[in-house]
Amino acid sequence: MITDKNILKINRLYTLTILAIMISLGFPIINFLFFSPYYDRSGEWLHIPNQAKKEIYQGNIALINQHIYSISRNLARITIQARWRERIDMELSLMNDEKHIVRRTIKPRIIGNKIIWEFTPLKDSSNKTYDLIIINNNQEKKTVQLSLFPTNDKNSSIKINKQILEGKSLAFFIESKFTGPKEKIITFYKRILTYKPALIQWLFFPTLTLFFILFIGGLKFAIKIILTDDEIPLGGKDDL
Amino acid sequence: MSNRIIDWAKNNKIYILFFFFVLTKGLLWTWVIPPFLAPDELPHFSYTQYLAEEKEIPKNSPGKISPLHPTLSEEAEKSSEFLQHNKTVLSLGHMDFPENIQRTPEGFQTYSRNVSKENYKNSAAIYSPFYYILEVIPYVLGYNLDIFSRLYLMRAFSLFFLFIALIFSYKIALFISKENTFALIVVAIIALMPSINASSFGGINNDAALIAFSHILLYYLVKILDNLDIRIWSIIKNGILLGLALLTKPVAIIFIPLTAGVFMYKGFKKNEIKKTALALLGVFTIAAIMSIVFYIRLIDSIINGSSNEISQTKNIFAIENIFLAVGFDIIRKFFLATSIWLQLQFFDRFYPFYIKSFIFALELFGLIGLIYLAKNYFNKDKDAPQSGQSPYAPLVLCIAAFLLISGFYTFLYYKQALMSHYYDFAWFGRYYLPVIAPIVIIMLFGLKKIFHLIKISEKVLYIGLLIFFLFLHNYAFFNIALQYNYL
């Protein structure tokens, strides 16, 4: 029988279920689609064994030159591990193969021991090499502390004050940026099915859809069970 | 008959829904982790392949063994190169996806599956073949398929162990709490943890069998607390369960003192110490008969292997040495506090701060609640007559299980840290999953106590936890596993 009390209970169940779906399913999907646009990270920093072999470099640093290789288009962010106390005296630039400066900044973000330089994506950066140039304009040059990693690639060796440090690379990684969620979905669709057996390629998206259906149905059912379980104490009762 | 089935289905709708939810979720996780990138998957796959192809148990040749470079068949070697395993296995990056992506790799049917026995090295070969014999079943079922199809089939088989672990976690929680909703929340939390999905049941790993058999054994130990049955069949059953757990992975030795503790506790309670000690001896004898051969092999490989190089430090108990080891141990434990729940390849560090903080808060409040429970226990009138089993005993068993596994890894950590200056051991939360049901149960009891104290309905706690762990699961799936493996 539908009574006012029942309607109230049903309303409470639906409101709670919708809220729970928004938090537990809606937020992660929206975050994935709209708020994490960076992709294709690459750089020596990402190789975990390197992190144990990290070396701190501190000296009179005026100029740093690091060769970088971009695996994909839309190169848009460089993260460097370094302690740089005076951000105002820093100048970062990116030079292409033809020795043209394609991006430049004097105001990167500094978070802890990370320098994060975000710039307008370089559309044609796929499979191209660049030189990352960092100029320290500070007279007290010891304000800079760099992290270096070992590298087997000769071209990746860092130059500090025009001197090559063989087999050592700046601790950094680069990332590209999607222009929008549509591009992200297309790239994701291509990649998720890569190197998978035909059956999984065929089943992946139907299974994902089934997961969403079961998720919503199961969540509603679970909330209903909790709300209607009269054995659950209302608080204050000590069962142990 | 059909009416009975329909009635059963109607009465058990939540379990049916939960089964299909876990199945679809589990399959998605096994498909999303790229091949050979689940923890130590290449050595575990190679062990199974060796068993299936060479029809004998692999044995390591003397010398140093690396989990990153096991002896491989030509087929496994080629696929590992193709998937850039060496580049991606210990990396925060992902494999390269060229512009013109080839969806299904070709040519893998022609490579040899035989493994060279000469100079054979595999970090997984120190384990008994128990789990790997079971994994041979999907390997053989997919024998005519390429290596990738076989690998995904073997991964899907891990879900069988996941269901065992979940069923027995539910039974343990129900037995302890006597509350169906409590048990459902415990099992939902376990099923939704990213570490469970990505690490132990998302790939090929003997952890899957270890976790499953540990939970069966734990359930019977909890039951013993309620009623110690020392008839022959019961002794045989407990002996076999302990033996099977020991055959999965050496960490199961923590169940030896736990079993002894439970038996002797009941023996003292019932005033049947001699009888109980004899029953315990029977249990241990059966377990030893089942597993001793492989433990002798393991001890032999530890003694003859050169992986434990002892440092040249004159005094391993030098004060600087101890300080360094203790310092790293504190950091390790701090890291483990979130890693138990969150481990996902090496991408743990990409979880946002608020998720890690919330987990710390849950653990902290759970601990405070447990302290209050302990206070209640010590304050109550011990002389008051008790009807039946004390509700505290199963909780103590859960705490003991956690402390034993923690103590086991801490011992191994200090051995490596002090003797070899190796501080990277046992940083992975997945190592604690054999006792995950006890961990979740004690945390939930602690949180319940806090909610009692602040006079808020447990319904709020249950719904809050359910939403948080559903969110955590989806965050890990979409924003960590998909994002960092593919984009």
Side-chain angles (χ1 to χ4, degrees), chain A residues 24 28 31 40-41 46 48 184 191 195-196 227 229 237-238, chain B residues 31 90 92 94 103 181 391 449 452 459 474 478-479 483 486:
Chain A
S24 60
N31 192 49
D40 278 354
R41 300 165 312 285
L46 302 174
I48 289 165
K184 183 168 184 173
R191 292 182 177 186
Y195 313 143
K196 290 198 167 64
L227 287 178
D229 187 348
K237 185 190 160 209
D238 237 342
Chain B
W31 297 343
L90 289 178
L92 302 172
H94 58 66
R103 274 203 180 167
T181 311
K449 182 71 194 168
H452 287 158
K459 290 182 183 187
N474 291 339
F478 291 104
N479 296 277
Q483 177 76 31
Y486 295 94

PDB file of all heavy atoms in Angstrom, chain A residues 24 28 31 40-41 46 48 184 191 195-196 227 229 237-238, chain B residues 31 90 92 94 103 181 391 449 452 459 474 478-479 483 486:
ATOM      1  N   SER A  24      30.035   8.653  -6.953  1.00  0.00           N
ATOM      2  CA  SER A  24      30.903   7.488  -7.154  1.00  0.00           C
ATOM      3  C   SER A  24      31.127   7.123  -8.612  1.00  0.00           C
ATOM      4  O   SER A  24      32.119   6.458  -8.930  1.00  0.00           O
ATOM      5  CB  SER A  24      30.338   6.286  -6.397  1.00  0.00           C
ATOM      6  OG  SER A  24      29.047   5.989  -6.863  1.00  0.00           O
ATOM      7  N   PRO A  28      34.243  10.453 -11.183  1.00  0.00           N
ATOM      8  CA  PRO A  28      35.434   9.873 -11.829  1.00  0.00           C
ATOM      9  C   PRO A  28      35.389   9.946 -13.358  1.00  0.00           C
ATOM     10  O   PRO A  28      36.412  10.199 -13.999  1.00  0.00           O
ATOM     11  CB  PRO A  28      35.434   8.419 -11.357  1.00  0.00           C
ATOM     12  CG  PRO A  28      34.661   8.414 -10.107  1.00  0.00           C
ATOM     13  CD  PRO A  28      33.617   9.480 -10.270  1.00  0.00           C
ATOM     14  N   ASN A  31      35.900  13.604 -14.403  1.00  0.00           N
ATOM     15  CA  ASN A  31      37.312  13.928 -14.171  1.00  0.00           C
ATOM     16  C   ASN A  31      38.182  13.349 -15.285  1.00  0.00           C
ATOM     17  O   ASN A  31      39.091  13.997 -15.793  1.00  0.00           O
ATOM     18  CB  ASN A  31      37.739  13.382 -12.805  1.00  0.00           C
ATOM     19  CG  ASN A  31      39.080  13.927 -12.377  1.00  0.00           C
ATOM     20  OD1 ASN A  31      39.298  15.126 -12.430  1.00  0.00           O
ATOM     21  ND2 ASN A  31      39.980  13.037 -11.995  1.00  0.00           N
ATOM     22  N   ASP A  40      50.613  10.847 -22.698  1.00  0.00           N
ATOM     23  CA  ASP A  40      51.911  10.445 -23.275  1.00  0.00           C
ATOM     24  C   ASP A  40      53.106  11.051 -22.540  1.00  0.00           C
ATOM     25  O   ASP A  40      53.909  11.796 -23.108  1.00  0.00           O
ATOM     26  CB  ASP A  40      51.959  10.778 -24.775  1.00  0.00           C
ATOM     27  CG  ASP A  40      51.278   9.703 -25.595  1.00  0.00           C
ATOM     28  OD1 ASP A  40      50.878   8.676 -25.012  1.00  0.00           O
ATOM     29  OD2 ASP A  40      51.135   9.883 -26.813  1.00  0.00           O
ATOM     30  N   ARG A  41      53.205  10.694 -21.277  1.00  0.00           N
ATOM     31  CA  ARG A  41      54.356  11.130 -20.505  1.00  0.00           C
ATOM     32  C   ARG A  41      55.605  10.385 -21.011  1.00  0.00           C
ATOM     33  O   ARG A  41      55.526   9.203 -21.300  1.00  0.00           O
ATOM     34  CB  ARG A  41      54.180  10.785 -19.004  1.00  0.00           C
ATOM     35  CG  ARG A  41      52.987  11.407 -18.371  1.00  0.00           C
ATOM     36  CD  ARG A  41      52.632  10.785 -17.032  1.00  0.00           C
ATOM     37  NE  ARG A  41      52.600   9.337 -17.050  1.00  0.00           N
ATOM     38  CZ  ARG A  41      51.634   8.624 -17.585  1.00  0.00           C
ATOM     39  NH1 ARG A  41      50.623   9.215 -18.173  1.00  0.00           N
ATOM     40  NH2 ARG A  41      51.665   7.318 -17.555  1.00  0.00           N
ATOM     41  N   LEU A  46      60.651   8.873 -15.377  1.00  0.00           N
ATOM     42  CA  LEU A  46      59.553   7.927 -15.182  1.00  0.00           C
ATOM     43  C   LEU A  46      60.037   6.498 -14.940  1.00  0.00           C
ATOM     44  O   LEU A  46      59.284   5.657 -14.480  1.00  0.00           O
ATOM     45  CB  LEU A  46      58.620   7.947 -16.400  1.00  0.00           C
ATOM     46  CG  LEU A  46      58.007   9.313 -16.710  1.00  0.00           C
ATOM     47  CD1 LEU A  46      57.229   9.268 -18.003  1.00  0.00           C
ATOM     48  CD2 LEU A  46      57.096   9.759 -15.573  1.00  0.00           C
ATOM     49  N   ILE A  48      61.460   3.882 -12.862  1.00  0.00           N
ATOM     50  CA  ILE A  48      61.618   3.836 -11.396  1.00  0.00           C
ATOM     51  C   ILE A  48      63.047   3.489 -10.933  1.00  0.00           C
ATOM     52  O   ILE A  48      63.552   4.142 -10.019  1.00  0.00           O
ATOM     53  CB  ILE A  48      60.553   2.912 -10.779  1.00  0.00           C
ATOM     54  CG1 ILE A  48      59.197   3.614 -10.900  1.00  0.00           C
ATOM     55  CG2 ILE A  48      60.847   2.600  -9.307  1.00  0.00           C
ATOM     56  CD1 ILE A  48      58.003   2.741 -10.678  1.00  0.00           C
ATOM     57  N   LYS A 184      40.304  13.041 -26.821  1.00  0.00           N
ATOM     58  CA  LYS A 184      40.713  12.075 -25.797  1.00  0.00           C
ATOM     59  C   LYS A 184      39.957  10.755 -25.980  1.00  0.00           C
ATOM     60  O   LYS A 184      40.543   9.677 -25.907  1.00  0.00           O
ATOM     61  CB  LYS A 184      40.451  12.651 -24.395  1.00  0.00           C
ATOM     62  CG  LYS A 184      40.925  11.727 -23.298  1.00  0.00           C
ATOM     63  CD  LYS A 184      40.942  12.395 -21.950  1.00  0.00           C
ATOM     64  CE  LYS A 184      41.525  11.449 -20.917  1.00  0.00           C
ATOM     65  NZ  LYS A 184      41.731  12.042 -19.628  1.00  0.00           N
ATOM     66  N   ARG A 191      43.383   3.051 -28.452  1.00  0.00           N
ATOM     67  CA  ARG A 191      44.440   2.403 -27.665  1.00  0.00           C
ATOM     68  C   ARG A 191      43.954   1.273 -26.778  1.00  0.00           C
ATOM     69  O   ARG A 191      44.678   0.306 -26.564  1.00  0.00           O
ATOM     70  CB  ARG A 191      45.164   3.453 -26.809  1.00  0.00           C
ATOM     71  CG  ARG A 191      45.959   4.409 -27.646  1.00  0.00           C
ATOM     72  CD  ARG A 191      46.695   5.396 -26.782  1.00  0.00           C
ATOM     73  NE  ARG A 191      47.523   6.274 -27.584  1.00  0.00           N
ATOM     74  CZ  ARG A 191      48.361   7.153 -27.073  1.00  0.00           C
ATOM     75  NH1 ARG A 191      48.466   7.285 -25.769  1.00  0.00           N
ATOM     76  NH2 ARG A 191      49.094   7.907 -27.859  1.00  0.00           N
ATOM     77  N   TYR A 195      46.490  -4.565 -29.023  1.00  0.00           N
ATOM     78  CA  TYR A 195      47.172  -5.771 -28.538  1.00  0.00           C
ATOM     79  C   TYR A 195      46.247  -6.670 -27.713  1.00  0.00           C
ATOM     80  O   TYR A 195      46.683  -7.310 -26.769  1.00  0.00           O
ATOM     81  CB  TYR A 195      48.418  -5.426 -27.710  1.00  0.00           C
ATOM     82  CG  TYR A 195      49.322  -4.391 -28.358  1.00  0.00           C
ATOM     83  CD1 TYR A 195      49.972  -3.430 -27.596  1.00  0.00           C
ATOM     84  CD2 TYR A 195      49.527  -4.386 -29.737  1.00  0.00           C
ATOM     85  CE1 TYR A 195      50.790  -2.475 -28.189  1.00  0.00           C
ATOM     86  CE2 TYR A 195      50.344  -3.447 -30.330  1.00  0.00           C
ATOM     87  CZ  TYR A 195      50.965  -2.486 -29.553  1.00  0.00           C
ATOM     88  OH  TYR A 195      51.766  -1.549 -30.133  1.00  0.00           O
ATOM     89  N   LYS A 196      44.975  -6.634 -28.019  1.00  0.00           N
ATOM     90  CA  LYS A 196      44.039  -7.496 -27.293  1.00  0.00           C
ATOM     91  C   LYS A 196      43.433  -8.504 -28.262  1.00  0.00           C
ATOM     92  O   LYS A 196      43.215  -8.182 -29.439  1.00  0.00           O
ATOM     93  CB  LYS A 196      42.934  -6.672 -26.645  1.00  0.00           C
ATOM     94  CG  LYS A 196      43.458  -5.841 -25.485  1.00  0.00           C
ATOM     95  CD  LYS A 196      42.373  -5.365 -24.576  1.00  0.00           C
ATOM     96  CE  LYS A 196      42.942  -4.820 -23.294  1.00  0.00           C
ATOM     97  NZ  LYS A 196      43.774  -3.640 -23.425  1.00  0.00           N
ATOM     98  N   LEU A 227      19.088   0.942   4.280  1.00  0.00           N
ATOM     99  CA  LEU A 227      18.049   1.812   4.845  1.00  0.00           C
ATOM    100  C   LEU A 227      16.929   1.032   5.525  1.00  0.00           C
ATOM    101  O   LEU A 227      16.331   1.489   6.494  1.00  0.00           O
ATOM    102  CB  LEU A 227      17.459   2.706   3.745  1.00  0.00           C
ATOM    103  CG  LEU A 227      18.333   3.845   3.237  1.00  0.00           C
ATOM    104  CD1 LEU A 227      17.624   4.599   2.132  1.00  0.00           C
ATOM    105  CD2 LEU A 227      18.713   4.805   4.355  1.00  0.00           C
ATOM    106  N   ASP A 229      17.201  -2.082   6.837  1.00  0.00           N
ATOM    107  CA  ASP A 229      17.633  -3.089   7.810  1.00  0.00           C
ATOM    108  C   ASP A 229      17.318  -2.595   9.223  1.00  0.00           C
ATOM    109  O   ASP A 229      17.988  -1.692   9.735  1.00  0.00           O
ATOM    110  CB  ASP A 229      19.139  -3.355   7.638  1.00  0.00           C
ATOM    111  CG  ASP A 229      19.609  -4.518   8.491  1.00  0.00           C
ATOM    112  OD1 ASP A 229      18.837  -4.955   9.373  1.00  0.00           O
ATOM    113  OD2 ASP A 229      20.744  -4.987   8.292  1.00  0.00           O
ATOM    114  N   LYS A 237      23.968   2.425  20.969  1.00  0.00           N
ATOM    115  CA  LYS A 237      23.900   1.075  21.515  1.00  0.00           C
ATOM    116  C   LYS A 237      25.280   0.436  21.424  1.00  0.00           C
ATOM    117  O   LYS A 237      25.966   0.563  20.406  1.00  0.00           O
ATOM    118  CB  LYS A 237      22.894   0.262  20.683  1.00  0.00           C
ATOM    119  CG  LYS A 237      22.649  -1.116  21.227  1.00  0.00           C
ATOM    120  CD  LYS A 237      21.851  -1.940  20.228  1.00  0.00           C
ATOM    121  CE  LYS A 237      22.042  -3.398  20.539  1.00  0.00           C
ATOM    122  NZ  LYS A 237      21.927  -4.222  19.354  1.00  0.00           N
ATOM    123  N   ASP A 238      25.671  -0.264  22.466  1.00  0.00           N
ATOM    124  CA  ASP A 238      26.986  -0.897  22.485  1.00  0.00           C
ATOM    125  C   ASP A 238      26.831  -2.393  22.344  1.00  0.00           C
ATOM    126  O   ASP A 238      26.334  -3.052  23.237  1.00  0.00           O
ATOM    127  CB  ASP A 238      27.672  -0.591  23.822  1.00  0.00           C
ATOM    128  CG  ASP A 238      28.990   0.085  23.566  1.00  0.00           C
ATOM    129  OD1 ASP A 238      29.468  -0.021  22.437  1.00  0.00           O
ATOM    130  OD2 ASP A 238      29.507   0.709  24.498  1.00  0.00           O
TER     131      ASP A 238
ATOM    132  N   TRP B  31      41.326  -7.084 -18.315  1.00  0.00           N
ATOM    133  CA  TRP B  31      41.545  -6.616 -19.689  1.00  0.00           C
ATOM    134  C   TRP B  31      42.289  -5.286 -19.728  1.00  0.00           C
ATOM    135  O   TRP B  31      42.961  -4.975 -20.707  1.00  0.00           O
ATOM    136  CB  TRP B  31      40.196  -6.440 -20.410  1.00  0.00           C
ATOM    137  CG  TRP B  31      39.429  -7.705 -20.568  1.00  0.00           C
ATOM    138  CD1 TRP B  31      39.905  -8.983 -20.451  1.00  0.00           C
ATOM    139  CD2 TRP B  31      38.026  -7.839 -20.872  1.00  0.00           C
ATOM    140  NE1 TRP B  31      38.892  -9.894 -20.645  1.00  0.00           N
ATOM    141  CE2 TRP B  31      37.732  -9.224 -20.916  1.00  0.00           C
ATOM    142  CE3 TRP B  31      36.998  -6.932 -21.103  1.00  0.00           C
ATOM    143  CZ2 TRP B  31      36.445  -9.709 -21.177  1.00  0.00           C
ATOM    144  CZ3 TRP B  31      35.729  -7.416 -21.380  1.00  0.00           C
ATOM    145  CH2 TRP B  31      35.457  -8.789 -21.420  1.00  0.00           C
ATOM    146  N   LEU B  90      58.822  -1.359 -14.811  1.00  0.00           N
ATOM    147  CA  LEU B  90      59.163  -0.550 -13.629  1.00  0.00           C
ATOM    148  C   LEU B  90      59.120   0.924 -14.020  1.00  0.00           C
ATOM    149  O   LEU B  90      60.093   1.645 -13.908  1.00  0.00           O
ATOM    150  CB  LEU B  90      60.560  -0.904 -13.116  1.00  0.00           C
ATOM    151  CG  LEU B  90      60.738  -2.258 -12.457  1.00  0.00           C
ATOM    152  CD1 LEU B  90      62.194  -2.459 -12.063  1.00  0.00           C
ATOM    153  CD2 LEU B  90      59.856  -2.395 -11.230  1.00  0.00           C
ATOM    154  N   LEU B  92      56.671   4.696 -14.663  1.00  0.00           N
ATOM    155  CA  LEU B  92      55.456   5.490 -14.461  1.00  0.00           C
ATOM    156  C   LEU B  92      54.877   5.921 -15.804  1.00  0.00           C
ATOM    157  O   LEU B  92      53.914   6.665 -15.867  1.00  0.00           O
ATOM    158  CB  LEU B  92      55.767   6.729 -13.619  1.00  0.00           C
ATOM    159  CG  LEU B  92      56.358   6.439 -12.244  1.00  0.00           C
ATOM    160  CD1 LEU B  92      56.807   7.716 -11.569  1.00  0.00           C
ATOM    161  CD2 LEU B  92      55.327   5.740 -11.379  1.00  0.00           C
ATOM    162  N   HIS B  94      53.966   4.525 -20.037  1.00  0.00           N
ATOM    163  CA  HIS B  94      53.296   3.373 -20.643  1.00  0.00           C
ATOM    164  C   HIS B  94      53.995   3.001 -21.938  1.00  0.00           C
ATOM    165  O   HIS B  94      54.901   3.715 -22.386  1.00  0.00           O
ATOM    166  CB  HIS B  94      51.818   3.664 -20.869  1.00  0.00           C
ATOM    167  CG  HIS B  94      51.540   4.864 -21.733  1.00  0.00           C
ATOM    168  ND1 HIS B  94      51.870   4.925 -23.067  1.00  0.00           N
ATOM    169  CD2 HIS B  94      50.961   6.058 -21.443  1.00  0.00           C
ATOM    170  CE1 HIS B  94      51.503   6.088 -23.559  1.00  0.00           C
ATOM    171  NE2 HIS B  94      50.960   6.804 -22.598  1.00  0.00           N
ATOM    172  N   ARG B 103      46.129  -3.610 -34.163  1.00  0.00           N
ATOM    173  CA  ARG B 103      45.296  -4.065 -33.055  1.00  0.00           C
ATOM    174  C   ARG B 103      45.658  -5.449 -32.548  1.00  0.00           C
ATOM    175  O   ARG B 103      45.725  -5.696 -31.361  1.00  0.00           O
ATOM    176  CB  ARG B 103      43.832  -4.041 -33.463  1.00  0.00           C
ATOM    177  CG  ARG B 103      43.228  -2.683 -33.240  1.00  0.00           C
ATOM    178  CD  ARG B 103      41.764  -2.826 -33.107  1.00  0.00           C
ATOM    179  NE  ARG B 103      41.172  -1.517 -32.884  1.00  0.00           N
ATOM    180  CZ  ARG B 103      39.882  -1.284 -32.965  1.00  0.00           C
ATOM    181  NH1 ARG B 103      39.054  -2.250 -33.263  1.00  0.00           N
ATOM    182  NH2 ARG B 103      39.412  -0.093 -32.731  1.00  0.00           N
ATOM    183  N   THR B 181      24.162  -7.098   7.012  1.00  0.00           N
ATOM    184  CA  THR B 181      24.575  -5.864   6.333  1.00  0.00           C
ATOM    185  C   THR B 181      26.057  -5.579   6.594  1.00  0.00           C
ATOM    186  O   THR B 181      26.782  -5.167   5.685  1.00  0.00           O
ATOM    187  CB  THR B 181      23.699  -4.677   6.804  1.00  0.00           C
ATOM    188  OG1 THR B 181      22.332  -5.088   6.707  1.00  0.00           O
ATOM    189  CG2 THR B 181      23.894  -3.469   5.944  1.00  0.00           C
ATOM    190  N   PRO B 391      32.451 -12.148  22.420  1.00  0.00           N
ATOM    191  CA  PRO B 391      32.507 -11.521  21.096  1.00  0.00           C
ATOM    192  C   PRO B 391      33.867 -10.903  20.800  1.00  0.00           C
ATOM    193  O   PRO B 391      34.161 -10.538  19.671  1.00  0.00           O
ATOM    194  CB  PRO B 391      31.415 -10.456  21.169  1.00  0.00           C
ATOM    195  CG  PRO B 391      31.223 -10.174  22.612  1.00  0.00           C
ATOM    196  CD  PRO B 391      31.547 -11.437  23.336  1.00  0.00           C
ATOM    197  N   LYS B 449      32.287   1.582  16.531  1.00  0.00           N
ATOM    198  CA  LYS B 449      32.379   2.041  17.928  1.00  0.00           C
ATOM    199  C   LYS B 449      32.353   3.571  17.994  1.00  0.00           C
ATOM    200  O   LYS B 449      31.669   4.157  18.846  1.00  0.00           O
ATOM    201  CB  LYS B 449      33.679   1.488  18.554  1.00  0.00           C
ATOM    202  CG  LYS B 449      33.860   1.842  20.001  1.00  0.00           C
ATOM    203  CD  LYS B 449      32.885   1.102  20.873  1.00  0.00           C
ATOM    204  CE  LYS B 449      32.831   1.691  22.258  1.00  0.00           C
ATOM    205  NZ  LYS B 449      31.695   1.164  23.036  1.00  0.00           N
ATOM    206  N   HIS B 452      28.925   4.746  17.462  1.00  0.00           N
ATOM    207  CA  HIS B 452      28.123   4.561  18.682  1.00  0.00           C
ATOM    208  C   HIS B 452      28.380   5.700  19.663  1.00  0.00           C
ATOM    209  O   HIS B 452      27.465   6.251  20.257  1.00  0.00           O
ATOM    210  CB  HIS B 452      28.479   3.239  19.370  1.00  0.00           C
ATOM    211  CG  HIS B 452      27.962   2.055  18.647  1.00  0.00           C
ATOM    212  ND1 HIS B 452      28.511   0.805  18.799  1.00  0.00           N
ATOM    213  CD2 HIS B 452      26.951   1.925  17.767  1.00  0.00           C
ATOM    214  CE1 HIS B 452      27.849  -0.041  18.036  1.00  0.00           C
ATOM    215  NE2 HIS B 452      26.896   0.607  17.404  1.00  0.00           N
ATOM    216  N   LYS B 459      23.858   3.184   9.864  1.00  0.00           N
ATOM    217  CA  LYS B 459      23.434   3.248   8.462  1.00  0.00           C
ATOM    218  C   LYS B 459      24.219   4.324   7.719  1.00  0.00           C
ATOM    219  O   LYS B 459      24.565   4.163   6.558  1.00  0.00           O
ATOM    220  CB  LYS B 459      21.930   3.550   8.387  1.00  0.00           C
ATOM    221  CG  LYS B 459      21.079   2.386   8.848  1.00  0.00           C
ATOM    222  CD  LYS B 459      19.603   2.670   8.724  1.00  0.00           C
ATOM    223  CE  LYS B 459      18.833   1.471   9.277  1.00  0.00           C
ATOM    224  NZ  LYS B 459      17.407   1.552   9.062  1.00  0.00           N
ATOM    225  N   ASN B 474      36.044   3.366  -8.954  1.00  0.00           N
ATOM    226  CA  ASN B 474      35.877   3.995 -10.262  1.00  0.00           C
ATOM    227  C   ASN B 474      36.981   5.008 -10.541  1.00  0.00           C
ATOM    228  O   ASN B 474      37.432   5.140 -11.674  1.00  0.00           O
ATOM    229  CB  ASN B 474      34.500   4.667 -10.356  1.00  0.00           C
ATOM    230  CG  ASN B 474      33.413   3.624 -10.389  1.00  0.00           C
ATOM    231  OD1 ASN B 474      33.660   2.467 -10.719  1.00  0.00           O
ATOM    232  ND2 ASN B 474      32.209   3.999 -10.032  1.00  0.00           N
ATOM    233  N   PHE B 478      39.134   4.470 -13.903  1.00  0.00           N
ATOM    234  CA  PHE B 478      39.123   5.434 -15.006  1.00  0.00           C
ATOM    235  C   PHE B 478      40.324   6.384 -14.965  1.00  0.00           C
ATOM    236  O   PHE B 478      40.962   6.628 -15.980  1.00  0.00           O
ATOM    237  CB  PHE B 478      37.827   6.271 -14.981  1.00  0.00           C
ATOM    238  CG  PHE B 478      36.614   5.462 -15.330  1.00  0.00           C
ATOM    239  CD1 PHE B 478      35.724   5.054 -14.344  1.00  0.00           C
ATOM    240  CD2 PHE B 478      36.368   5.079 -16.636  1.00  0.00           C
ATOM    241  CE1 PHE B 478      34.608   4.292 -14.661  1.00  0.00           C
ATOM    242  CE2 PHE B 478      35.255   4.318 -16.967  1.00  0.00           C
ATOM    243  CZ  PHE B 478      34.370   3.918 -15.978  1.00  0.00           C
ATOM    244  N   ASN B 479      40.616   6.896 -13.762  1.00  0.00           N
ATOM    245  CA  ASN B 479      41.607   7.969 -13.683  1.00  0.00           C
ATOM    246  C   ASN B 479      43.026   7.492 -13.423  1.00  0.00           C
ATOM    247  O   ASN B 479      43.963   8.280 -13.532  1.00  0.00           O
ATOM    248  CB  ASN B 479      41.201   8.983 -12.607  1.00  0.00           C
ATOM    249  CG  ASN B 479      39.900   9.662 -12.967  1.00  0.00           C
ATOM    250  OD1 ASN B 479      39.884  10.605 -13.725  1.00  0.00           O
ATOM    251  ND2 ASN B 479      38.803   9.149 -12.452  1.00  0.00           N
ATOM    252  N   GLN B 483      43.891   5.871 -17.523  1.00  0.00           N
ATOM    253  CA  GLN B 483      44.637   7.088 -17.832  1.00  0.00           C
ATOM    254  C   GLN B 483      46.142   6.803 -17.981  1.00  0.00           C
ATOM    255  O   GLN B 483      46.760   7.221 -18.949  1.00  0.00           O
ATOM    256  CB  GLN B 483      44.403   8.126 -16.725  1.00  0.00           C
ATOM    257  CG  GLN B 483      45.163   9.419 -16.882  1.00  0.00           C
ATOM    258  CD  GLN B 483      44.579  10.340 -17.942  1.00  0.00           C
ATOM    259  OE1 GLN B 483      43.378  10.346 -18.181  1.00  0.00           O
ATOM    260  NE2 GLN B 483      45.442  11.104 -18.598  1.00  0.00           N
ATOM    261  N   TYR B 486      47.172   3.876 -20.791  1.00  0.00           N
ATOM    262  CA  TYR B 486      46.843   4.060 -22.208  1.00  0.00           C
ATOM    263  C   TYR B 486      46.988   5.488 -22.717  1.00  0.00           C
ATOM    264  O   TYR B 486      47.023   5.707 -23.920  1.00  0.00           O
ATOM    265  CB  TYR B 486      45.414   3.565 -22.478  1.00  0.00           C
ATOM    266  CG  TYR B 486      45.300   2.074 -22.250  1.00  0.00           C
ATOM    267  CD1 TYR B 486      44.887   1.557 -21.030  1.00  0.00           C
ATOM    268  CD2 TYR B 486      45.684   1.181 -23.249  1.00  0.00           C
ATOM    269  CE1 TYR B 486      44.832   0.196 -20.807  1.00  0.00           C
ATOM    270  CE2 TYR B 486      45.636  -0.183 -23.044  1.00  0.00           C
ATOM    271  CZ  TYR B 486      45.209  -0.670 -21.824  1.00  0.00           C
ATOM    272  OH  TYR B 486      45.169  -2.018 -21.612  1.00  0.00           O
TER     273      TYR B 486
END
